[in-house]
Amino acid sequence: METDADRLAMIKSLGGVLASVRGNGIWGIFDNGNIDVLSMVESAGPSLNCRSSDVALVFMTKDDEMEINGEQYRVKKMDPDGTGMTMVHLKK
Amino acid sequence: MTHRAEQIIDAIVALIKAQANLPVNAGNVYAHRTLSLADDQGEMPAITVNIGDDQPSNEGGTDNLAFIDSLLSVSIVGYAIESTEEEVKSQLMDQRRRVHQALMADDSLALPFVIATRYGGAAAPEMDATTERIAGSMESRWHISYRMNFTDPGT
């Protein structure tokens, strides 16, 4: 069974970045790629895929400021996947 | 010569493109668009004109031995992407207004075989805020009564 430590190792092995939120650093996989919404519109959607435990540890909430690679983002939405990881949708 | 239903779609696209004060570039008015609209490639805002159900006026499918009258449903969907929800909805409502003006200026759509064009209602706007900006869409529905040749729907 995958542990939280396994998830952290996986994030780092996949090129994860250290994001800063509420003065804390959390590891996650950052994606600034385009996504489709409304089944038709392709638009830029930055996101950070990180451990759910880290999200809880830093008390992350909507509109929190996050710094990734020197860029500033705001938390738009958090989607836990039920397996220990959370997709944090961001906006600039 | 294409099917008259397709000629109607093409005519609607042309009318919308020519509509004054359309808040969409003429090049972003599409018929049957299935590929996604890329915000970073200037394809937004956009309007798509989509063919819907086509029902004969006569349940038997014929009106006489020469022609068939049919009712074509057309779905016209506007897409907008802005920084705020209010801006998206305002854009969508403006698009909807201009589409209405384009279609109802001449309810024959400048086609000799179109009998009438009627407004068929509109859906509530759909919004999505998962991207960097907020995207929205709104559908308006139109019903076009037209006549086609009994043996060749292109004439």
Side-chain angles (χ1 to χ4, degrees), chain B residues 29-155:
Chain B
V29 180
Y30 305 98
H32 317 300
R33 173 88 181 206
T34 55
L35 297 176
S36 59
L37 301 159
D39 181 29
D40 61 354
Q41 294 179 27
E43 292 183 333
M44 288 290 291
I47 293 173
T48 65
V49 181
N50 309 284
I51 197 165
D53 290 343
D54 200 344
Q55 299 289 337
S57 303
N58 182 303
E59 285 185 2
T62 62
D63 287 271
N64 67 35
L65 294 177
F67 59 80
I68 297 170
D69 283 346
S70 196
L71 189 68
L72 174 69
S73 296
V74 176
S75 166
I76 301 177
V77 185
Y79 296 89
I81 188 162
E82 300 287 348
S83 301
T84 68
E85 189 173 342
E86 185 180 4
E87 288 173 328
V88 171
K89 287 182 177 175
S90 176
Q91 160 85 230
L92 291 174
M93 288 306 298
D94 195 18
Q95 288 180 13
R96 182 175 151 190
R97 178 189 174 201
R98 302 303 176 190
V99 165
H100 192 119
Q101 290 175 325
L103 267 64
M104 298 309 284
D106 172 5
D107 73 348
S108 74
L109 306 178
L111 295 171
F113 56 84
V114 169
I115 300 162
T117 299
R118 293 290 177 264
Y119 171 62
E126 292 185 30
M127 311 292 285
D128 194 303
T130 55
T131 54
E132 282 192 7
R133 297 199 292 161
I134 298 173
S137 69
M138 182 187 286
E139 178 198 28
S140 62
R141 294 176 289 271
W142 300 85
H143 304 300
I144 294 99
S145 176
Y146 73 102
R147 177 165 292 179
M148 56 184 148
N149 185 277
F150 187 79
T151 56
D152 180 3
T155 61

Side-chain angles (χ1 to χ4, degrees), chain A residues 2-39:
Chain A
E2 186 181 80
T3 66
D4 226 24
D6 294 332
R7 284 186 275 273
L8 180 60
M10 182 265 297
I11 288 170
K12 289 182 176 179
S13 70
L14 291 175
V17 298
L18 190 62
S20 174
V21 58
R22 289 177 174 256
N24 298 284
I26 62 172
W27 284 92
I29 299 167
F30 179 66
D31 183 2
N32 202 22
N34 288 348
I35 60 173
D36 277 4
V37 297
L38 302 167
S39 302

Side-chain angles (χ1 to χ4, degrees), chain A residues 1 8 17 29 37 39 47 50-51 53 56 71 75 79 85 88:
Chain A
M1 182 176 292
L8 180 60
V17 298
I29 299 167
V37 297
S39 302
S47 62
C50 55
R51 296 186 302 177
S53 58
E71 299 282 338
V75 174
D79 285 333
M85 299 293 288
V88 180

Side-chain angles (χ1 to χ4, degrees), chain A residues 37-54:
Chain A
V37 297
L38 302 167
S39 302
M40 274 297 288
V41 177
E42 184 185 314
S43 187
S47 62
L48 185 78
N49 197 15
C50 55
R51 296 186 302 177
S52 299
S53 58
D54 286 335

Side-chain angles (χ1 to χ4, degrees), chain A residues 26 55 60:
Chain A
I26 62 172
V55 172
M60 191 186 296

